[in-house]
Amino acid sequence: MDQVFAPWRIEWIKRDEKNSDVDGCVFCAFPEREDDRENLLVARSEHAFVLLNNYPYSPGHVMVIPRTHTGEYADLTDEQLLDHARLKQRTFKAVETALEPDGFNAGLNLGEGAGGSIGDHLHTHIVPRWQGDTNFMPVIGDTSVIVQALEETYDQLHEAFAAQEGATVPGAGRAVVFE
């Protein structure tokens, strides 16, 4: 039998409780915290933010999340929709710059029936893909192999967002801000 060595995952496995320090919605709480890097929040705009996924399908799997707490896409105002769309556009550019994928899967899980673990706060998944990145492990081995630690992915994406026009980097541990 082949073994997959991923020593950085032990911290995640041994944690006491998923988001035990959050009262209510994690997507509402994370942008209010001081240390964006610790919370994997990579970039912000007026009405949305970009968060690395804790359970990535591949390196660079992020979510673009409106700040408005709603599970209904129709609840977003035109201003919020435009800001969310612009931040998605910047996210594609940052992921392309940082990780050079061959393509993307992107989409929303709306409602709990759609398979999303958080059904009451909509979010757009952006998953970079590479030719040949799907292999026997998820199909036969029921195992997903992530080839890069979240912290390294964060640093690469943070740098790529920071290099974009209109970006502001407020300080250590903080997300890139777009006005």
Side-chain angles (χ1 to χ4, degrees), residues 12-149:
W12 181 256
I13 292 165
K14 286 186 172 183
R15 76 191 198 284
D16 291 332
E17 195 176 315
K18 185 169 79 169
N19 301 314
S20 61
D21 59 336
V22 175
D23 237 0
C25 176
V26 295
F27 291 161
C28 291
F30 285 177
E32 302 303 319
R33 293 183 170 182
E34 291 298 315
D35 192 341
D36 291 337
R37 188 177 196 286
E38 182 180 311
N39 292 290
L40 304 176
L41 201 151
V42 185
R44 302 169 175 265
S45 62
E46 184 178 356
H47 298 287
F49 59 96
V50 180
L51 187 69
L52 274 172
N53 194 315
N54 269 336
Y55 292 107
Y57 295 129
S58 65
H61 177 177
V62 296
M63 297 170 289
V64 182
I65 306 167
R67 291 176 187 254
T68 299
H69 181 86
T70 182
E72 300 295 325
Y73 198 70
D75 286 351
L76 298 179
T77 67
D78 288 348
E79 187 178 6
Q80 292 166 334
L81 283 168
L82 180 58
D83 188 68
H84 184 247
R86 284 188 174 148
L87 191 54
K88 285 189 290 189
Q89 191 177 48
R90 290 180 180 278
T91 300
F92 284 118
K93 183 178 179 181
V95 173
E96 286 172 345
T97 299
L99 303 172
E100 300 178 350
D102 297 323
F104 292 93
N105 291 128
L108 297 157
N109 293 338
L110 297 175
E112 290 182 33
S117 61
I118 299 176
D120 61 347
H121 197 136
L122 70 90
H123 49 285
T124 303
H125 289 266
I126 296 178
V127 182
R129 300 299 305 266
W130 290 266
Q131 293 290 345
D133 69 353
T134 300
N135 57 37
F136 74 94
M137 290 298 284
V139 177
I140 296 173
D142 196 26
T143 301
S144 179
V145 179
I146 305 302
V147 298
Q148 185 176 49

